[in-house]
PDB file of all heavy atoms in Angstrom:
ATOM      1  N   ARG A 103     -23.874   0.741 -30.976  1.00 51.00           N
ATOM      2  CA  ARG A 103     -25.226   1.118 -30.593  1.00 51.00           C
ATOM      3  C   ARG A 103     -26.007  -0.097 -30.093  1.00 51.00           C
ATOM      4  O   ARG A 103     -27.029  -0.482 -30.654  1.00 51.00           O
ATOM      5  CB  ARG A 103     -25.944   1.789 -31.757  1.00 51.00           C
ATOM      6  CG  ARG A 103     -25.246   3.043 -32.263  1.00 51.00           C
ATOM      7  CD  ARG A 103     -26.208   3.979 -32.919  1.00 51.00           C
ATOM      8  NE  ARG A 103     -27.202   4.514 -31.984  1.00 51.00           N
ATOM      9  CZ  ARG A 103     -26.953   5.505 -31.139  1.00 51.00           C
ATOM     10  NH1 ARG A 103     -25.765   6.052 -31.077  1.00 51.00           N
ATOM     11  NH2 ARG A 103     -27.887   5.950 -30.333  1.00 51.00           N
ATOM     12  N   VAL A 104     -25.488  -0.697 -29.027  1.00 54.00           N
ATOM     13  CA  VAL A 104     -26.242  -1.785 -28.417  1.00 54.00           C
ATOM     14  C   VAL A 104     -27.435  -1.186 -27.714  1.00 54.00           C
ATOM     15  O   VAL A 104     -27.488   0.000 -27.394  1.00 54.00           O
ATOM     16  CB  VAL A 104     -25.373  -2.589 -27.422  1.00 54.00           C
ATOM     17  CG1 VAL A 104     -24.222  -3.266 -28.146  1.00 54.00           C
ATOM     18  CG2 VAL A 104     -24.846  -1.708 -26.299  1.00 54.00           C
ATOM     19  N   MET A 105     -28.439  -2.020 -27.451  1.00 50.00           N
ATOM     20  CA  MET A 105     -29.698  -1.529 -26.911  1.00 50.00           C
ATOM     21  C   MET A 105     -29.512  -0.722 -25.631  1.00 50.00           C
ATOM     22  O   MET A 105     -30.183   0.294 -25.426  1.00 50.00           O
ATOM     23  CB  MET A 105     -30.609  -2.733 -26.626  1.00 50.00           C
ATOM     24  CG  MET A 105     -31.953  -2.388 -26.011  1.00 50.00           C
ATOM     25  SD  MET A 105     -32.821  -3.878 -25.564  1.00 50.00           S
ATOM     26  CE  MET A 105     -31.756  -4.537 -24.276  1.00 50.00           C
ATOM     27  N   LEU A 119     -38.092  -6.208 -28.809  1.00 66.00           N
ATOM     28  CA  LEU A 119     -37.564  -7.453 -29.393  1.00 66.00           C
ATOM     29  C   LEU A 119     -36.909  -8.296 -28.288  1.00 66.00           C
ATOM     30  O   LEU A 119     -37.172  -9.499 -28.180  1.00 66.00           O
ATOM     31  CB  LEU A 119     -36.538  -7.103 -30.472  1.00 66.00           C
ATOM     32  CG  LEU A 119     -35.619  -8.258 -30.929  1.00 66.00           C
ATOM     33  CD1 LEU A 119     -36.423  -9.271 -31.740  1.00 66.00           C
ATOM     34  CD2 LEU A 119     -34.455  -7.720 -31.751  1.00 66.00           C
ATOM     35  N   ILE A 204     -13.722  -7.231 -27.397  1.00 81.00           N
ATOM     36  CA  ILE A 204     -15.019  -6.830 -27.965  1.00 81.00           C
ATOM     37  C   ILE A 204     -15.064  -7.147 -29.448  1.00 81.00           C
ATOM     38  O   ILE A 204     -16.035  -7.696 -29.967  1.00 81.00           O
ATOM     39  CB  ILE A 204     -15.256  -5.327 -27.730  1.00 81.00           C
ATOM     40  CG1 ILE A 204     -15.470  -5.050 -26.229  1.00 81.00           C
ATOM     41  CG2 ILE A 204     -16.480  -4.854 -28.527  1.00 81.00           C
ATOM     42  CD1 ILE A 204     -15.448  -3.571 -25.878  1.00 81.00           C
ATOM     43  N   GLU A 205     -13.972  -6.827 -30.161  1.00 83.00           N
ATOM     44  CA  GLU A 205     -13.926  -7.076 -31.602  1.00 83.00           C
ATOM     45  C   GLU A 205     -14.024  -8.582 -31.907  1.00 83.00           C
ATOM     46  O   GLU A 205     -14.772  -8.990 -32.799  1.00 83.00           O
ATOM     47  CB  GLU A 205     -12.627  -6.508 -32.176  1.00 83.00           C
ATOM     48  CG  GLU A 205     -12.526  -6.623 -33.689  1.00 83.00           C
ATOM     49  CD  GLU A 205     -11.329  -5.903 -34.256  1.00 83.00           C
ATOM     50  OE1 GLU A 205     -10.756  -5.065 -33.547  1.00 83.00           O
ATOM     51  OE2 GLU A 205     -10.977  -6.163 -35.423  1.00 83.00           O
ATOM     52  N   TYR A 207     -15.258 -10.947 -29.959  1.00 85.00           N
ATOM     53  CA  TYR A 207     -16.571 -11.448 -29.527  1.00 85.00           C
ATOM     54  C   TYR A 207     -17.651 -11.091 -30.565  1.00 85.00           C
ATOM     55  O   TYR A 207     -18.505 -11.923 -30.905  1.00 85.00           O
ATOM     56  CB  TYR A 207     -16.894 -10.859 -28.170  1.00 85.00           C
ATOM     57  CG  TYR A 207     -18.191 -11.292 -27.546  1.00 85.00           C
ATOM     58  CD1 TYR A 207     -18.627 -12.611 -27.582  1.00 85.00           C
ATOM     59  CD2 TYR A 207     -18.992 -10.371 -26.873  1.00 85.00           C
ATOM     60  CE1 TYR A 207     -19.824 -12.993 -26.995  1.00 85.00           C
ATOM     61  CE2 TYR A 207     -20.182 -10.740 -26.275  1.00 85.00           C
ATOM     62  CZ  TYR A 207     -20.589 -12.059 -26.334  1.00 85.00           C
ATOM     63  OH  TYR A 207     -21.772 -12.430 -25.747  1.00 85.00           O
ATOM     64  N   GLU A 208     -17.620  -9.859 -31.059  1.00 84.00           N
ATOM     65  CA  GLU A 208     -18.587  -9.455 -32.085  1.00 84.00           C
ATOM     66  C   GLU A 208     -18.445 -10.286 -33.354  1.00 84.00           C
ATOM     67  O   GLU A 208     -19.442 -10.679 -33.976  1.00 84.00           O
ATOM     68  CB  GLU A 208     -18.426  -7.972 -32.400  1.00 84.00           C
ATOM     69  CG  GLU A 208     -18.939  -7.055 -31.288  1.00 84.00           C
ATOM     70  CD  GLU A 208     -18.791  -5.589 -31.647  1.00 84.00           C
ATOM     71  OE1 GLU A 208     -17.915  -5.276 -32.484  1.00 84.00           O
ATOM     72  OE2 GLU A 208     -19.532  -4.764 -31.097  1.00 84.00           O
ATOM     73  N   ALA A 209     -17.200 -10.561 -33.745  1.00 89.00           N
ATOM     74  CA  ALA A 209     -16.968 -11.371 -34.953  1.00 89.00           C
ATOM     75  C   ALA A 209     -17.516 -12.788 -34.745  1.00 89.00           C
ATOM     76  O   ALA A 209     -18.099 -13.383 -35.664  1.00 89.00           O
ATOM     77  CB  ALA A 209     -15.480 -11.409 -35.286  1.00 89.00           C
ATOM     78  N   TYR A 210     -17.322 -13.339 -33.535  1.00 91.00           N
ATOM     79  CA  TYR A 210     -17.850 -14.673 -33.250  1.00 91.00           C
ATOM     80  C   TYR A 210     -19.381 -14.675 -33.333  1.00 91.00           C
ATOM     81  O   TYR A 210     -19.992 -15.588 -33.934  1.00 91.00           O
ATOM     82  CB  TYR A 210     -17.409 -15.125 -31.860  1.00 91.00           C
ATOM     83  CG  TYR A 210     -18.072 -16.402 -31.415  1.00 91.00           C
ATOM     84  CD1 TYR A 210     -17.651 -17.631 -31.900  1.00 91.00           C
ATOM     85  CD2 TYR A 210     -19.185 -16.376 -30.554  1.00 91.00           C
ATOM     86  CE1 TYR A 210     -18.283 -18.807 -31.530  1.00 91.00           C
ATOM     87  CE2 TYR A 210     -19.826 -17.547 -30.181  1.00 91.00           C
ATOM     88  CZ  TYR A 210     -19.363 -18.757 -30.670  1.00 91.00           C
ATOM     89  OH  TYR A 210     -20.003 -19.934 -30.319  1.00 91.00           O
ATOM     90  N   LEU A 211     -20.023 -13.662 -32.721  1.00 88.00           N
ATOM     91  CA  LEU A 211     -21.483 -13.623 -32.748  1.00 88.00           C
ATOM     92  C   LEU A 211     -22.013 -13.482 -34.167  1.00 88.00           C
ATOM     93  O   LEU A 211     -23.046 -14.054 -34.518  1.00 88.00           O
ATOM     94  CB  LEU A 211     -21.990 -12.462 -31.895  1.00 88.00           C
ATOM     95  CG  LEU A 211     -21.808 -12.613 -30.378  1.00 88.00           C
ATOM     96  CD1 LEU A 211     -22.354 -11.371 -29.661  1.00 88.00           C
ATOM     97  CD2 LEU A 211     -22.517 -13.855 -29.859  1.00 88.00           C
ATOM     98  N   ALA A 212     -21.311 -12.716 -34.998  1.00 89.00           N
ATOM     99  CA  ALA A 212     -21.718 -12.573 -36.402  1.00 89.00           C
ATOM    100  C   ALA A 212     -21.697 -13.939 -37.109  1.00 89.00           C
ATOM    101  O   ALA A 212     -22.607 -14.276 -37.893  1.00 89.00           O
ATOM    102  CB  ALA A 212     -20.824 -11.572 -37.122  1.00 89.00           C
ATOM    103  N   ARG A 213     -20.654 -14.728 -36.832  1.00 92.00           N
ATOM    104  CA  ARG A 213     -20.585 -16.069 -37.424  1.00 92.00           C
ATOM    105  C   ARG A 213     -21.716 -16.952 -36.896  1.00 92.00           C
ATOM    106  O   ARG A 213     -22.335 -17.728 -37.639  1.00 92.00           O
ATOM    107  CB  ARG A 213     -19.233 -16.724 -37.114  1.00 92.00           C
ATOM    108  CG  ARG A 213     -18.051 -16.037 -37.799  1.00 92.00           C
ATOM    109  CD  ARG A 213     -16.786 -16.891 -37.737  1.00 92.00           C
ATOM    110  NE  ARG A 213     -16.356 -17.150 -36.368  1.00 92.00           N
ATOM    111  CZ  ARG A 213     -15.541 -16.347 -35.691  1.00 92.00           C
ATOM    112  NH1 ARG A 213     -15.088 -15.228 -36.233  1.00 92.00           N
ATOM    113  NH2 ARG A 213     -15.162 -16.666 -34.461  1.00 92.00           N
ATOM    114  N   LEU A 214     -22.020 -16.821 -35.598  1.00 92.00           N
ATOM    115  CA  LEU A 214     -23.087 -17.625 -35.000  1.00 92.00           C
ATOM    116  C   LEU A 214     -24.449 -17.274 -35.608  1.00 92.00           C
ATOM    117  O   LEU A 214     -25.256 -18.169 -35.915  1.00 92.00           O
ATOM    118  CB  LEU A 214     -23.115 -17.386 -33.477  1.00 92.00           C
ATOM    119  CG  LEU A 214     -24.086 -18.238 -32.651  1.00 92.00           C
ATOM    120  CD1 LEU A 214     -23.726 -19.708 -32.758  1.00 92.00           C
ATOM    121  CD2 LEU A 214     -24.087 -17.791 -31.197  1.00 92.00           C
ATOM    122  N   VAL A 215     -24.680 -15.994 -35.830  1.00 90.00           N
ATOM    123  CA  VAL A 215     -25.939 -15.569 -36.453  1.00 90.00           C
ATOM    124  C   VAL A 215     -26.047 -16.132 -37.860  1.00 90.00           C
ATOM    125  O   VAL A 215     -27.110 -16.609 -38.288  1.00 90.00           O
ATOM    126  CB  VAL A 215     -26.041 -14.025 -36.467  1.00 90.00           C
ATOM    127  CG1 VAL A 215     -27.167 -13.564 -37.401  1.00 90.00           C
ATOM    128  CG2 VAL A 215     -26.287 -13.502 -35.052  1.00 90.00           C
ATOM    129  N   ARG A 216     -24.950 -16.098 -38.615  1.00 91.00           N
ATOM    130  CA  ARG A 216     -24.976 -16.646 -39.983  1.00 91.00           C
ATOM    131  C   ARG A 216     -25.295 -18.130 -39.959  1.00 91.00           C
ATOM    132  O   ARG A 216     -26.066 -18.619 -40.814  1.00 91.00           O
ATOM    133  CB  ARG A 216     -23.642 -16.375 -40.678  1.00 91.00           C
ATOM    134  CG  ARG A 216     -23.412 -14.910 -41.071  1.00 91.00           C
ATOM    135  CD  ARG A 216     -22.271 -14.785 -42.086  1.00 91.00           C
ATOM    136  NE  ARG A 216     -20.995 -15.191 -41.530  1.00 91.00           N
ATOM    137  CZ  ARG A 216     -20.151 -14.384 -40.900  1.00 91.00           C
ATOM    138  NH1 ARG A 216     -20.477 -13.123 -40.719  1.00 91.00           N
ATOM    139  NH2 ARG A 216     -18.993 -14.838 -40.463  1.00 91.00           N
ATOM    140  N   ARG A 219     -28.969 -18.595 -39.236  1.00 90.00           N
ATOM    141  CA  ARG A 219     -29.808 -18.211 -40.354  1.00 90.00           C
ATOM    142  C   ARG A 219     -29.848 -19.336 -41.393  1.00 90.00           C
ATOM    143  O   ARG A 219     -30.899 -19.593 -42.002  1.00 90.00           O
ATOM    144  CB  ARG A 219     -29.239 -16.922 -40.977  1.00 90.00           C
ATOM    145  CG  ARG A 219     -30.143 -16.338 -42.062  1.00 90.00           C
ATOM    146  CD  ARG A 219     -29.630 -14.952 -42.470  1.00 90.00           C
ATOM    147  NE  ARG A 219     -30.027 -13.935 -41.502  1.00 90.00           N
ATOM    148  CZ  ARG A 219     -29.263 -12.941 -41.067  1.00 90.00           C
ATOM    149  NH1 ARG A 219     -28.007 -12.843 -41.500  1.00 90.00           N
ATOM    150  NH2 ARG A 219     -29.726 -12.051 -40.219  1.00 90.00           N
ATOM    151  N   VAL A 227     -30.866 -17.388 -30.321  1.00 86.00           N
ATOM    152  CA  VAL A 227     -30.302 -16.751 -31.513  1.00 86.00           C
ATOM    153  C   VAL A 227     -31.186 -17.065 -32.718  1.00 86.00           C
ATOM    154  O   VAL A 227     -31.514 -16.174 -33.526  1.00 86.00           O
ATOM    155  CB  VAL A 227     -28.847 -17.190 -31.748  1.00 86.00           C
ATOM    156  CG1 VAL A 227     -28.341 -16.640 -33.089  1.00 86.00           C
ATOM    157  CG2 VAL A 227     -27.936 -16.713 -30.614  1.00 86.00           C
ATOM    158  N   LEU A 230     -34.315 -14.989 -32.533  1.00 81.00           N
ATOM    159  CA  LEU A 230     -34.101 -13.605 -32.916  1.00 81.00           C
ATOM    160  C   LEU A 230     -33.949 -13.458 -34.438  1.00 81.00           C
ATOM    161  O   LEU A 230     -34.449 -12.519 -35.040  1.00 81.00           O
ATOM    162  CB  LEU A 230     -32.872 -13.040 -32.211  1.00 81.00           C
ATOM    163  CG  LEU A 230     -33.015 -12.869 -30.687  1.00 81.00           C
ATOM    164  CD1 LEU A 230     -31.676 -12.533 -30.069  1.00 81.00           C
ATOM    165  CD2 LEU A 230     -34.028 -11.774 -30.369  1.00 81.00           C
ATOM    166  N   VAL A 231     -33.267 -14.419 -35.050  1.00 84.00           N
ATOM    167  CA  VAL A 231     -33.135 -14.415 -36.510  1.00 84.00           C
ATOM    168  C   VAL A 231     -34.513 -14.532 -37.159  1.00 84.00           C
ATOM    169  O   VAL A 231     -34.824 -13.838 -38.139  1.00 84.00           O
ATOM    170  CB  VAL A 231     -32.215 -15.562 -36.970  1.00 84.00           C
ATOM    171  CG1 VAL A 231     -32.313 -15.757 -38.477  1.00 84.00           C
ATOM    172  CG2 VAL A 231     -30.777 -15.286 -36.558  1.00 84.00           C
ATOM    173  N   GLN A 234     -36.319 -11.232 -37.045  1.00 76.00           N
ATOM    174  CA  GLN A 234     -35.862 -10.291 -38.064  1.00 76.00           C
ATOM    175  C   GLN A 234     -36.565 -10.537 -39.389  1.00 76.00           C
ATOM    176  O   GLN A 234     -36.910  -9.591 -40.111  1.00 76.00           O
ATOM    177  CB  GLN A 234     -34.347 -10.384 -38.248  1.00 76.00           C
ATOM    178  CG  GLN A 234     -33.809  -9.329 -39.209  1.00 76.00           C
ATOM    179  CD  GLN A 234     -32.358  -9.569 -39.576  1.00 76.00           C
ATOM    180  OE1 GLN A 234     -31.909 -10.723 -39.634  1.00 76.00           O
ATOM    181  NE2 GLN A 234     -31.621  -8.499 -39.834  1.00 76.00           N
ATOM    182  N   LEU A 240     -35.625  -4.350 -38.344  1.00 69.00           N
ATOM    183  CA  LEU A 240     -34.492  -4.810 -37.568  1.00 69.00           C
ATOM    184  C   LEU A 240     -33.323  -5.099 -38.501  1.00 69.00           C
ATOM    185  O   LEU A 240     -33.335  -6.048 -39.271  1.00 69.00           O
ATOM    186  CB  LEU A 240     -34.866  -6.068 -36.788  1.00 69.00           C
ATOM    187  CG  LEU A 240     -33.790  -6.646 -35.869  1.00 69.00           C
ATOM    188  CD1 LEU A 240     -33.473  -5.689 -34.748  1.00 69.00           C
ATOM    189  CD2 LEU A 240     -34.231  -7.994 -35.311  1.00 69.00           C
ATOM    190  N   THR A 241     -32.298  -4.233 -38.446  1.00 76.00           N
ATOM    191  CA  THR A 241     -31.145  -4.388 -39.320  1.00 76.00           C
ATOM    192  C   THR A 241     -30.235  -5.506 -38.812  1.00 76.00           C
ATOM    193  O   THR A 241     -30.339  -5.938 -37.665  1.00 76.00           O
ATOM    194  CB  THR A 241     -30.351  -3.073 -39.398  1.00 76.00           C
ATOM    195  OG1 THR A 241     -29.773  -2.822 -38.114  1.00 76.00           O
ATOM    196  CG2 THR A 241     -31.248  -1.902 -39.781  1.00 76.00           C
ATOM    197  N   ASP A 242     -29.306  -5.929 -39.671  1.00 78.00           N
ATOM    198  CA  ASP A 242     -28.335  -6.942 -39.242  1.00 78.00           C
ATOM    199  C   ASP A 242     -27.504  -6.429 -38.068  1.00 78.00           C
ATOM    200  O   ASP A 242     -27.187  -7.176 -37.147  1.00 78.00           O
ATOM    201  CB  ASP A 242     -27.405  -7.299 -40.418  1.00 78.00           C
ATOM    202  CG  ASP A 242     -28.094  -8.170 -41.452  1.00 78.00           C
ATOM    203  OD1 ASP A 242     -29.203  -8.654 -41.180  1.00 78.00           O
ATOM    204  OD2 ASP A 242     -27.516  -8.369 -42.539  1.00 78.00           O
ATOM    205  N   SER A 243     -27.140  -5.142 -38.118  1.00 77.00           N
ATOM    206  CA  SER A 243     -26.345  -4.562 -37.030  1.00 77.00           C
ATOM    207  C   SER A 243     -27.136  -4.587 -35.718  1.00 77.00           C
ATOM    208  O   SER A 243     -26.591  -4.905 -34.653  1.00 77.00           O
ATOM    209  CB  SER A 243     -25.946  -3.125 -37.369  1.00 77.00           C
ATOM    210  OG  SER A 243     -25.273  -2.521 -36.297  1.00 77.00           O
ATOM    211  N   GLU A 244     -28.424  -4.270 -35.797  1.00 75.00           N
ATOM    212  CA  GLU A 244     -29.256  -4.284 -34.588  1.00 75.00           C
ATOM    213  C   GLU A 244     -29.469  -5.694 -34.073  1.00 75.00           C
ATOM    214  O   GLU A 244     -29.486  -5.928 -32.854  1.00 75.00           O
ATOM    215  CB  GLU A 244     -30.596  -3.611 -34.879  1.00 75.00           C
ATOM    216  CG  GLU A 244     -30.504  -2.106 -35.049  1.00 75.00           C
ATOM    217  CD  GLU A 244     -31.785  -1.491 -35.559  1.00 75.00           C
ATOM    218  OE1 GLU A 244     -32.623  -2.220 -36.122  1.00 75.00           O
ATOM    219  OE2 GLU A 244     -31.948  -0.260 -35.391  1.00 75.00           O
ATOM    220  N   LEU A 245     -29.611  -6.633 -34.960  1.00 77.00           N
ATOM    221  CA  LEU A 245     -29.748  -8.031 -34.560  1.00 77.00           C
ATOM    222  C   LEU A 245     -28.492  -8.474 -33.817  1.00 77.00           C
ATOM    223  O   LEU A 245     -28.564  -9.096 -32.752  1.00 77.00           O
ATOM    224  CB  LEU A 245     -29.987  -8.912 -35.783  1.00 77.00           C
ATOM    225  CG  LEU A 245     -29.983 -10.430 -35.528  1.00 77.00           C
ATOM    226  CD1 LEU A 245     -31.147 -10.830 -34.626  1.00 77.00           C
ATOM    227  CD2 LEU A 245     -30.053 -11.186 -36.850  1.00 77.00           C
ATOM    228  N   LEU A 246     -27.337  -8.136 -34.372  1.00 77.00           N
ATOM    229  CA  LEU A 246     -26.078  -8.520 -33.748  1.00 77.00           C
ATOM    230  C   LEU A 246     -25.913  -7.855 -32.380  1.00 77.00           C
ATOM    231  O   LEU A 246     -25.515  -8.499 -31.405  1.00 77.00           O
ATOM    232  CB  LEU A 246     -24.920  -8.141 -34.657  1.00 77.00           C
ATOM    233  CG  LEU A 246     -23.515  -8.507 -34.171  1.00 77.00           C
ATOM    234  CD1 LEU A 246     -23.385 -10.003 -33.958  1.00 77.00           C
ATOM    235  CD2 LEU A 246     -22.471  -8.015 -35.161  1.00 77.00           C
ATOM    236  N   SER A 247     -26.235  -6.565 -32.300  1.00 76.00           N
ATOM    237  CA  SER A 247     -26.077  -5.861 -31.018  1.00 76.00           C
ATOM    238  C   SER A 247     -27.038  -6.391 -29.971  1.00 76.00           C
ATOM    239  O   SER A 247     -26.710  -6.444 -28.786  1.00 76.00           O
ATOM    240  CB  SER A 247     -26.271  -4.354 -31.212  1.00 76.00           C
ATOM    241  OG  SER A 247     -27.622  -4.030 -31.490  1.00 76.00           O
ATOM    242  N   THR A 248     -28.235  -6.828 -30.403  1.00 76.00           N
ATOM    243  CA  THR A 248     -29.186  -7.414 -29.463  1.00 76.00           C
ATOM    244  C   THR A 248     -28.658  -8.733 -28.924  1.00 76.00           C
ATOM    245  O   THR A 248     -28.750  -9.012 -27.720  1.00 76.00           O
ATOM    246  CB  THR A 248     -30.555  -7.612 -30.136  1.00 76.00           C
ATOM    247  OG1 THR A 248     -31.058  -6.340 -30.569  1.00 76.00           O
ATOM    248  CG2 THR A 248     -31.555  -8.226 -29.169  1.00 76.00           C
ATOM    249  N   CYS A 249     -28.091  -9.545 -29.805  1.00 79.00           N
ATOM    250  CA  CYS A 249     -27.462 -10.791 -29.336  1.00 79.00           C
ATOM    251  C   CYS A 249     -26.330 -10.501 -28.359  1.00 79.00           C
ATOM    252  O   CYS A 249     -26.182 -11.166 -27.330  1.00 79.00           O
ATOM    253  CB  CYS A 249     -26.934 -11.592 -30.532  1.00 79.00           C
ATOM    254  SG  CYS A 249     -28.195 -12.321 -31.572  1.00 79.00           S
ATOM    255  N   PHE A 250     -25.533  -9.482 -28.661  1.00 77.00           N
ATOM    256  CA  PHE A 250     -24.413  -9.088 -27.796  1.00 77.00           C
ATOM    257  C   PHE A 250     -24.920  -8.789 -26.391  1.00 77.00           C
ATOM    258  O   PHE A 250     -24.396  -9.287 -25.394  1.00 77.00           O
ATOM    259  CB  PHE A 250     -23.719  -7.877 -28.397  1.00 77.00           C
ATOM    260  CG  PHE A 250     -22.471  -7.442 -27.674  1.00 77.00           C
ATOM    261  CD1 PHE A 250     -21.223  -7.713 -28.211  1.00 77.00           C
ATOM    262  CD2 PHE A 250     -22.527  -6.747 -26.479  1.00 77.00           C
ATOM    263  CE1 PHE A 250     -20.056  -7.305 -27.556  1.00 77.00           C
ATOM    264  CE2 PHE A 250     -21.383  -6.349 -25.812  1.00 77.00           C
ATOM    265  CZ  PHE A 250     -20.149  -6.636 -26.358  1.00 77.00           C
ATOM    266  N   VAL A 251     -25.940  -7.940 -26.310  1.00 75.00           N
ATOM    267  CA  VAL A 251     -26.484  -7.536 -25.014  1.00 75.00           C
ATOM    268  C   VAL A 251     -27.089  -8.708 -24.260  1.00 75.00           C
ATOM    269  O   VAL A 251     -26.811  -8.936 -23.076  1.00 75.00           O
ATOM    270  CB  VAL A 251     -27.538  -6.427 -25.178  1.00 75.00           C
ATOM    271  CG1 VAL A 251     -28.290  -6.178 -23.884  1.00 75.00           C
ATOM    272  CG2 VAL A 251     -26.868  -5.134 -25.626  1.00 75.00           C
ATOM    273  N   LEU A 252     -27.916  -9.496 -24.954  1.00 75.00           N
ATOM    274  CA  LEU A 252     -28.637 -10.561 -24.274  1.00 75.00           C
ATOM    275  C   LEU A 252     -27.708 -11.657 -23.779  1.00 75.00           C
ATOM    276  O   LEU A 252     -27.914 -12.219 -22.699  1.00 75.00           O
ATOM    277  CB  LEU A 252     -29.691 -11.164 -25.208  1.00 75.00           C
ATOM    278  CG  LEU A 252     -30.864 -10.243 -25.567  1.00 75.00           C
ATOM    279  CD1 LEU A 252     -31.844 -10.976 -26.479  1.00 75.00           C
ATOM    280  CD2 LEU A 252     -31.579  -9.749 -24.333  1.00 75.00           C
ATOM    281  N   ILE A 253     -26.686 -11.982 -24.552  1.00 76.00           N
ATOM    282  CA  ILE A 253     -25.765 -13.039 -24.136  1.00 76.00           C
ATOM    283  C   ILE A 253     -24.839 -12.556 -23.038  1.00 76.00           C
ATOM    284  O   ILE A 253     -24.532 -13.297 -22.097  1.00 76.00           O
ATOM    285  CB  ILE A 253     -24.967 -13.562 -25.355  1.00 76.00           C
ATOM    286  CG1 ILE A 253     -25.911 -14.210 -26.369  1.00 76.00           C
ATOM    287  CG2 ILE A 253     -23.899 -14.570 -24.906  1.00 76.00           C
ATOM    288  CD1 ILE A 253     -25.223 -14.670 -27.653  1.00 76.00           C
ATOM    289  N   THR A 254     -24.431 -11.289 -23.119  1.00 75.00           N
ATOM    290  CA  THR A 254     -23.486 -10.752 -22.146  1.00 75.00           C
ATOM    291  C   THR A 254     -24.170 -10.308 -20.863  1.00 75.00           C
ATOM    292  O   THR A 254     -23.599 -10.413 -19.774  1.00 75.00           O
ATOM    293  CB  THR A 254     -22.720  -9.565 -22.759  1.00 75.00           C
ATOM    294  OG1 THR A 254     -22.196  -9.963 -24.031  1.00 75.00           O
ATOM    295  CG2 THR A 254     -21.587  -9.124 -21.860  1.00 75.00           C
TER     296      THR A 254
END
Side-chain angles (χ1 to χ4, degrees):
R103 301 205 65 79
V104 297
M105 178 186 66
L119 165 71
I204 292 169
E205 184 173 344
Y207 182 42
E208 287 181 336
Y210 172 78
L211 290 180
R213 293 193 298 272
L214 186 63
V215 166
R216 288 196 296 270
R219 187 171 281 139
V227 173
L230 292 170
V231 168
Q234 185 189 32
L240 183 65
T241 67
D242 285 350
S243 176
E244 289 171 340
L245 174 65
L246 181 60
S247 70
T248 300
C249 289
F250 186 104
V251 169
L252 292 181
I253 296 176
T254 309

